[in-house]
């Protein structure tokens, strides 16, 4: 788990359709940043996907297991020495009996860092 070590939830909200809007703070001192990359750290894409997974699990109150990635687009680097506060905005969240499809963006104000479309099995 990355929650409460790599990132912290600072605020939780929802849009009018009930989709989560979660403010997070990254920990620039985390060991992952020492390896990715020394002297010029950036937030790994796999960590961004794991952040979505953990937030979704909390929101659903059940384990969410990634089963499919339809698309992931990284539009800008998230450098923890420059950007520590972000919003993880679920633009779409469709829950069925055992699955959940999401479209999520990582953003700060007008800047979009990444956009993801993924499917999860919900246990």
């Amino acid at each position: 788990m990355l929650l409460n070590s790599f990132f912290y939830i600072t605020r939780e909200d929802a849009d009018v359709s009930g989709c989560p809007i979660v403010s997070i703070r990254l920990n620039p001192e985390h060991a992952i940043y020492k390896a990715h990359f020394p002297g010029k750290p950036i937030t790994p894409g796999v960590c961004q996907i794991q952040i979505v997974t953990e937030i979704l699990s909390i929101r659903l109150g059940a384990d969410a297991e990634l089963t499919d990635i339809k698309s992931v687009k990284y539009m800008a680097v998230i450098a923890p020495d420059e950007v520590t506060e972000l919003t993880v905005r679920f633009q779409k969240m469709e829950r069925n009996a055992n699955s959940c499809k999401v479209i999520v963006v990582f953003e700060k104000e007008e800047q979009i860092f990444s956009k993801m479309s993924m499917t999860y099995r919900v246990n």
Side-chain angles (χ1 to χ4, degrees):
M1 280 189 63
L2 299 179
L3 181 61
N4 297 325
S5 63
F6 185 78
F7 79 100
Y8 301 87
I9 294 174
T10 58
R11 184 170 182 227
E12 294 183 70
D13 207 348
D15 65 16
V16 293
S17 67
C19 288
I21 302 169
V22 181
S23 298
I24 65 168
R25 181 175 43 84
L26 298 174
N27 175 7
E29 301 302 317
H30 196 277
I32 288 172
Y33 288 122
K34 293 179 184 5
H36 200 268
F37 294 97
K40 185 84 170 129
I42 64 171
T43 304
V46 68
C47 290
Q48 293 177 50
I49 293 169
Q50 182 62 27
I51 288 169
V52 172
T53 303
E54 292 182 25
I55 290 172
L56 184 63
S57 292
I58 291 166
R59 188 67 175 198
L60 297 175
D63 289 333
E65 179 184 337
L66 183 64
T67 58
D68 184 49
I69 296 176
K70 184 175 179 181
S71 68
V72 175
K73 295 179 185 174
Y74 299 106
M75 289 110 138
V77 170
I78 302 172
D81 53 347
E82 298 170 12
V83 177
T84 55
E85 304 284 333
L86 291 163
T87 299
V88 181
R89 181 181 306 275
F90 287 69
Q91 294 182 322
K92 183 178 181 182
M93 189 167 120
E94 291 180 4
R95 171 102 192 254
N96 297 323
N98 297 321
S99 69
C100 188
K101 292 182 181 183
V102 297
I103 296 175
V104 181
V105 296
F106 280 71
E107 62 188 10
K108 181 172 184 172
E109 297 162 1
E110 301 297 317
Q111 173 78 49
I112 295 178
F113 294 94
S114 56
K115 185 172 185 175
M116 307 169 185
S117 177
M118 302 179 289
T119 302
Y120 289 87
R121 179 179 17 253
V122 180
N123 301 316

